[in-house]
């Protein structure tokens, strides 16, 4: 079948516009956001990696992204000192990164912007690859539909332009899977090398790419091969090359250590230890203690720290209550992902269910990966604060959307085109506060604090804006800023006035409020309490303050300001708050 030159030109022009718009939005977001919580750690760990080859800092993630992102900082002359002390399980990189920021906030921010631009390349490459692959797989219109959904997904743009691992691993897992499916069709040296490179790249972005290993193995065994010997040889070559490159990035540090020589902190690997011990090794005294581990030492210890978090849990908040839930990530998708994406995925799910017998090999692979990844997320219910962990399913969902478009009638196609347009509209409405955006189902970013916290609302991205706004309000109010995300030292470093009072916890501030409390003028004029939306996750009782307070104002989707014109006391059960107005007191 001949290709229509006119249609091909239209596709290239539209695709070019989409890529340019996506790239511009990534650049805007990278420029306007202050350092987020994790970026302090990535920034410092990247500097240590480039200066001393130290892979032990921020070991919960592989070193590729932080090393690449810290290159502009090295060129700018920013230097870091080694951590004073680092015991097993310690995370010194966050405080060290914040100290680097305080030394020179402007230089830090400029270097951070350069690193963010380098990380943004992953999202751009992912978009270009998605457009190209889906055009061949499902046609040009289907490619443009899924390309728009990716390009204008607020989560992809906001996190794709930060120094974090989640969008890079999402892109690389998608590319590695596409390369694997092509390798199954045509096993030769070129496809073997391509698969080896892309899988290694995914693994160097984040350990979650390991989920591809059982999938690749299962589909390799389930797919007929022209020559089993050739496929087995090629698979062995993929494993060898991938391991060699992966270990080389770690400098081959600590490889082939006996399993019994490690000290683990996760309960499952630590085993029974004394009450005063934090580390142990359940394999001591067994045959397994002599096994030689063919992995870099810091890669294994990093995975151990992650397992510790999964087993013991982290502070979590979902749907207005504290604590994790097995459905956390599904709920996060429902409230954080744009409605256009949800509609498109719903159409793809219905298509897969009604035409299960007609699904091809790529669709079966995509469905299997989404199912497996969902199971993993269900069993990590103790960790309910990072909604971005669900991003790796996005390219596989979009592949199913493209397949649904190519194999459905006109009504489904119109609905999918509508979903792409709706995604762009939602993206425009949320601009430029994409990191804190929520969809209409959740009530938009104004109600985001009622659903999730941390990287979904306030992750530290509005540090400069918060300092400026607080200073501007001192003429009319006694201003109090509370945040568990932004430290007082960092706020002061960017110009927060001494006349603005700071506290780490909003509830502690409110519980201690008295007429003769924080300052003598407390009863002379109203006070303005500005607090991070992440505070709601730690103290959901603040929702009562938001409902009762006067002049509640949303600030950039990440903070709230409440006019506290009176005394705050407790009533009923502990942690319930009541605001008594001046006229009531009189």
């Amino acid at each position: 079948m001949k290709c229509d030159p006119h249609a091909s030109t239209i596709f290239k022009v539209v695709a070019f516009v989409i890529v340019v718009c996506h790239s511009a939005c990534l650049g805007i977001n990278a420029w306007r956001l202050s350092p987020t919580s994790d970026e302090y750690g990535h920034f410092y760990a990247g500097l240590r990696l480039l200066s001393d080859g130290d892979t032990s800092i921020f070991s919960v993630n592989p070193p590729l992204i932080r090393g690449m992102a810290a290159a502009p900082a090295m060129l700018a002359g920013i230097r870091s000192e080694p951590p004073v002390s680092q015991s097993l399980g310690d995370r010194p990189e966050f405080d060290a990164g914040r100290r680097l920021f305080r030394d020179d906030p402007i230089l830090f921010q400029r270097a951070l912007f350069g690193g963010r631009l380098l990380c943004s390349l992953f999202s751009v490459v992912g978009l270009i690859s998605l457009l190209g692959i889906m055009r061949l797989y499902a046609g040009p219109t289907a490619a443009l539909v899924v390309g728009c959904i990716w390009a204008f997904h607020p989560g992809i743009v906001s996190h794709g332009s930060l120094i974090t691992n989640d969008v890079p691993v999402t892109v690389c897992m998608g590319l590695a899977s596409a390369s694997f499916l092509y390798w199954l069709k045509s096993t030769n040296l070129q496809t073997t090398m391509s698969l080896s490179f892309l899988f290694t790249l995914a693994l160097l972005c984040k350990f979650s790419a390991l989920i591809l290993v059982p999938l690749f193995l299962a589909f390799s065994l389930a797919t007929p091969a022209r020559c089993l010997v050739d496929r087995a040889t090629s698979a062995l070559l993929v494993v060898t090359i991938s391991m060699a490159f992966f270990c080389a990035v770690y400098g081959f540090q600590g490889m082939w250590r006996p399993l019994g020589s490690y000290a683990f902190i996760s309960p499952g690997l630590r085993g029974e230890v004394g009450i005063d011990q934090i580390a142990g090794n359940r394999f001591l005294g067994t045959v397994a203690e002599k096994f030689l581990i063919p992995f870099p030492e810091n890669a294994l210890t990093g995975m151990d720290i992650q397992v510790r978090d999964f087993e013991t849990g982290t502070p979590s908040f979902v749907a207005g209550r504290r604590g994790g839930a097995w459905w956390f990530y599904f709920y996060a998708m429902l409230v954080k992902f744009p409605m256009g994406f949800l509609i498109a995925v719903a159409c793809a799910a219905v298509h897969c269910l009604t035409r299960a017998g007609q699904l091809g090999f790529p669709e079966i692979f995509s469905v299997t990966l989404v199912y497996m990844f969902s199971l993993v997320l269900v069993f990590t219910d103790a960790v309910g604060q990072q909604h971005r962990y669900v991003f790796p399913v996005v390219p596989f969902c979009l592949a199913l959307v493209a397949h649904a478009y190519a194999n459905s009638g006109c009504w489904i196609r119109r609905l999918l085109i509508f979903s792409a347009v709706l995604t762009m509209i939602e993206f425009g409405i949320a601009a430029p506060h994409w990191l804190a955006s929520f969809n209409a189902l959740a009530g938009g970013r104004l109600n985001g604090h009622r659903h999730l916290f941390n990287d979904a609302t306030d992750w530290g991205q509005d540090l400069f804006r918060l300092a400026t706004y607080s200073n501007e309000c001192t003429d009319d109010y006694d201003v109090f800023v509370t945040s568990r995300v932004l430290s007082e030292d960092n706020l002061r470093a960017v110009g927060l006035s001494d006349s603005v009072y700071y506290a780490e916890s909003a509830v502690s501030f409110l519980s201690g409020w008295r007429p003769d409390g924080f300052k003598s003028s407390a009863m002379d004029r109203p006070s303005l309490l500005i607090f991070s939306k992440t505070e709601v996750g730690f103290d959901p009782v603040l929702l009562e303050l938001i409902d009762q307070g006067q002049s509640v104002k949303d600030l950039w989707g990440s903070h709230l300001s409440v006019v506290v014109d009176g005394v705050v006391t407790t009533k009923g059960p502990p942690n319930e708050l009541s605001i008594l107005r001046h006229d009531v007191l009189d």
Side-chain angles (χ1 to χ4, degrees):
M1 187 173 77
K2 284 188 176 183
C3 177
D4 183 356
H6 181 65
S8 178
T9 301
I10 293 176
F11 171 82
K12 291 177 181 178
V13 170
V14 176
F16 177 78
V17 171
I18 293 173
V19 172
V20 169
C21 291
H22 182 64
S23 302
C25 292
L26 289 168
I28 292 170
N29 198 69
W31 174 258
R32 66 179 301 276
L33 298 191
S34 56
T36 58
S37 297
D38 277 19
E39 286 184 301
Y40 291 110
H42 284 295
F43 193 91
Y44 173 77
L47 287 173
R48 300 306 310 149
L49 174 69
L50 295 182
S51 59
D52 292 339
D54 188 353
T55 58
S56 66
I57 303 175
F58 217 125
S59 60
V60 295
N61 286 323
L64 176 64
I65 300 302
R66 60 179 178 268
M68 181 177 71
M74 289 290 289
L75 294 175
I78 299 178
R79 297 294 180 263
S80 61
E81 296 296 327
V84 176
S85 63
Q86 184 178 0
S87 58
L88 195 63
D90 280 353
R91 303 294 300 276
E93 57 268 24
F94 298 107
D95 286 339
R98 288 185 174 91
R99 286 195 297 271
L100 281 176
F101 176 84
R102 291 196 293 271
D103 290 342
D104 192 336
I106 301 303
L107 180 60
F108 187 103
Q109 187 71 24
R110 289 174 179 171
L112 186 73
F113 174 64
R116 286 172 169 176
L117 290 183
L118 291 177
C119 291
S120 298
L121 293 176
F122 282 94
S123 187
V124 176
V125 169
L127 174 59
I128 294 172
S129 302
L130 186 68
L131 288 166
I133 294 172
M134 291 302 113
R135 183 190 183 191
L136 297 174
Y137 169 64
T141 309
L144 293 176
V145 167
V146 297
C148 281
I149 295 175
W150 173 279
F152 301 104
H153 188 305
I156 297 298
V157 170
S158 57
H159 289 276
S161 51
L162 300 179
I163 302 177
T164 55
N165 304 72
D166 302 281
V167 171
V169 76
T170 297
V171 172
C172 293
M173 283 178 63
L175 291 176
S177 298
S179 180
F180 169 73
L181 295 175
Y182 192 67
W183 174 80
L184 287 179
K185 292 178 60 177
S186 177
T187 303
N188 53 51
L189 182 60
Q190 182 179 357
T191 57
T192 299
M193 294 301 294
S194 174
L195 176 57
S196 302
F197 171 75
L198 291 171
F199 175 68
T200 307
L201 199 61
L203 196 55
L204 286 171
C205 288
K206 201 169 185 180
F207 294 129
S208 53
L210 286 170
I211 197 173
L212 293 176
V213 174
L215 269 176
F216 286 177
L217 178 62
F219 277 80
S220 296
L221 296 175
T223 307
R226 294 181 180 178
C227 179
L228 290 176
V229 175
D230 287 348
R231 176 171 291 182
T233 303
S234 180
L236 182 61
L237 189 59
V238 169
V239 173
T240 303
I241 295 173
S242 299
M243 282 301 301
F245 278 114
F246 179 79
C247 296
V249 173
Y250 278 89
F252 302 100
Q253 298 171 359
M255 290 187 62
W256 302 107
R257 279 182 55 185
L259 182 58
S261 66
Y262 284 89
F264 297 110
I265 60 174
S266 60
L269 297 176
R270 180 183 61 197
E272 296 295 331
V273 296
I275 194 170
D276 59 338
Q277 291 180 287
I278 64 169
N281 190 322
R282 70 176 309 154
F283 303 102
L284 289 175
T286 68
V287 176
E289 72 173 343
K290 297 182 179 179
F291 290 171
L292 300 180
I293 307 301
F295 299 106
E297 172 187 2
N298 290 324
L300 191 61
T301 55
M303 293 181 195
D304 177 50
I305 295 173
Q306 278 198 327
V307 173
R308 185 269 309 268
D309 293 341
F310 291 142
E311 291 181 351
T312 61
T314 59
S316 303
F317 175 77
V318 59
R321 66 174 184 82
R322 291 191 65 178
W326 66 265
W327 40 268
F328 170 83
Y329 292 100
F330 304 103
Y331 184 87
M333 290 181 69
L334 283 176
V335 298
K336 281 293 288 183
F337 283 24
M339 293 294 296
F341 177 91
L342 298 179
I343 292 172
V345 171
C347 290
V350 171
H351 175 80
C352 290
L353 290 173
T354 55
R355 303 190 182 184
Q358 302 175 21
L359 296 180
F361 204 73
E363 297 81 54
I364 295 173
F365 182 90
S366 296
V367 170
T368 306
L369 185 137
V370 171
Y371 176 74
M372 283 186 60
F373 208 85
S374 299
L375 283 181
V376 172
L377 295 178
V378 165
F379 286 109
T380 59
D381 62 322
V383 180
Q385 59 173 239
Q386 314 284 14
H387 85 282
R388 65 188 188 279
Y389 290 173
V390 78
F391 283 172
V393 303
V394 170
F396 302 95
C397 290
L398 293 181
L400 295 174
V401 170
H403 178 264
Y405 184 93
N407 296 276
S408 298
C410 62
W411 285 106
I412 294 295
R413 292 187 176 188
R414 290 172 182 171
L415 187 56
L416 290 175
I417 292 174
F418 168 76
S419 70
V421 174
L422 181 60
T423 300
M424 290 189 285
I425 293 173
E426 292 178 278
F427 183 81
I429 293 173
H433 308 295
W434 296 301
L435 186 64
S437 68
F438 283 77
N439 61 33
L441 189 65
R445 75 167 187 266
L446 298 181
N447 288 298
H449 55 278
R450 301 181 185 275
H451 301 282
L452 302 170
F453 75 149
N454 203 38
D455 67 344
T457 53
D458 176 30
W459 211 23
Q461 69 269 20
D462 292 310
L463 173 69
F464 291 95
R465 278 176 285 277
L466 177 60
T468 302
Y469 180 82
S470 300
N471 292 342
E472 292 172 350
C473 293
T474 55
D475 293 337
D476 302 314
Y477 300 98
D478 294 333
V479 180
F480 295 83
V481 172
T482 70
S483 176
R484 283 185 173 91
V485 180
L486 301 173
S487 69
E488 180 178 7
D489 290 338
N490 280 17
L491 281 166
R492 302 295 184 196
V494 298
L496 182 69
S497 171
D498 290 337
S499 62
V500 176
Y501 285 73
Y502 175 90
E504 287 189 357
S505 168
V507 166
S508 65
F509 157 73
L510 291 167
S511 299
W513 183 266
R514 295 294 182 270
D516 57 350
F518 286 89
K519 47 190 307 191
S520 59
S521 63
M523 294 298 290
D524 297 335
R525 60 177 181 167
S527 294
L528 183 69
L529 172 62
I530 303 174
F531 61 92
S532 163
K533 286 189 175 182
T534 292
E535 287 285 294
V536 178
F538 287 98
D539 296 304
V541 69
L542 287 173
L543 290 173
E544 183 181 342
L545 171 66
I546 296 167
D547 293 335
Q548 292 184 22
Q550 52 178 315
S551 303
V552 178
K553 183 178 180 181
D554 181 90
L555 303 175
W556 325 293
S558 61
H559 289 75
L560 289 167
S561 68
V562 183
V563 175
V564 184
D565 185 15
V567 181
V568 177
T569 62
T570 59
K571 65 172 185 177
N575 294 330
E576 289 192 11
L577 304 176
S578 176
I579 302 176
L580 304 181
R581 296 288 302 281
H582 286 154
D583 51 4
V584 175
L585 293 173
D586 295 337

